[in-house]
Amino acid sequence: VDPVENHQKWTKDIEDIQGSPVTYPLIGDPTLAVSKLYDMLPNSAGETADGRTAADNQTVRNVYIIGPDKRVKLSIAYPMSTGRNLDEVLRVLDSLQLTSAVRVSTPVQWEPGQDVIIAGSVSNEEARKLYPEGWEEPKPYLRIVPQPVRDGVRGKTAKRAINGPTDGVSSGTVPFTF
């Protein structure tokens, strides 16, 4: 909920401790508008981040992925005592991007480049056209295929995009295409 300038002060500490610089955009919420909008803080929380403590802000330890349609696609709430898992956040972002683009689902523990499941909304007739090489079908509702090639690359990941601004990306945003 702090201003970006306050977050930037932490980046040096993170680099010192973790050995890597923070290269992703930082977002601040000094007026608490976003925190209240997504029910991370109650409307009675005040109008500014000034004077708030970590205990006051503990419910703001949520991670959200919001799609281009302005809908929440993921929310993870972390307790104060637990660090966030960026690998998991990126894995979910990879899955959301892939499943939106090619009408598949990703199974438990999926990682980019691994097999995927043909979406249940795809009929067998349509699946034969999309996957003429066939699929493994341990159950009628579970049709497994290799991850389709997307954008000319198998297993393209959001990890490339998260490493800082790229073409068409302004400061304060993360590339996110559905």
Side-chain angles (χ1 to χ4, degrees):
V1 300
D2 295 316
V4 171
E5 297 77 32
N6 290 13
H7 296 320
Q8 287 172 331
K9 293 175 186 174
W10 284 94
T11 63
K12 178 71 171 114
D13 291 347
I14 292 168
E15 185 172 358
D16 288 347
I17 293 169
Q18 299 296 321
S20 296
V22 173
T23 59
Y24 52 83
L26 300 170
I27 300 169
D29 186 22
T31 65
L32 312 180
V34 175
S35 302
K36 290 177 184 179
L37 178 67
Y38 289 98
D39 292 326
M40 293 182 273
L41 289 174
N43 284 332
S44 62
E47 302 300 322
T48 179
D50 292 339
R52 295 184 65 79
T53 67
D56 296 331
N57 296 329
Q58 63 183 319
T59 57
V60 188
R61 292 185 49 80
N62 297 347
V63 173
Y64 291 96
I65 295 179
I66 302 171
D69 61 358
K70 308 286 191 256
R71 294 185 184 262
V72 175
K73 304 298 183 184
L74 167 82
S75 86
I76 303 174
Y78 287 91
M80 291 290 288
S81 59
T82 304
R84 294 166 184 90
N85 185 336
L86 187 57
D87 287 334
E88 174 60 6
V89 173
L90 293 174
R91 186 189 77 83
V92 172
L93 182 57
D94 287 335
S95 174
L96 288 169
Q97 291 173 328
L98 175 70
T99 60
S100 173
V102 294
R103 298 175 58 205
V104 296
S105 298
T106 56
V108 66
Q109 306 299 341
W110 173 85
E111 293 289 337
Q114 293 180 342
D115 289 350
V116 295
I117 300 165
I118 300 170
S121 61
V122 177
S123 69
N124 279 343
E125 181 179 322
E126 188 177 4
R128 282 186 203 89
K129 293 175 187 171
L130 294 170
Y131 303 99
E133 65 284 348
W135 54 83
E136 181 185 337
E137 190 172 337
K139 297 284 182 184
Y141 58 86
L142 192 60
R143 300 167 295 169
I144 302 169
V145 294
Q147 179 180 318
V149 174
R150 184 174 151 250
D151 299 333
V153 178
R154 181 179 302 278
K156 180 179 178 183
T157 70
K159 292 175 186 163
R160 286 188 304 150
I162 205 83
N163 286 329
T166 59
D167 293 344
V169 178
S170 62
S171 178
T173 63
V174 175
F176 185 11
T177 304
F178 271 52

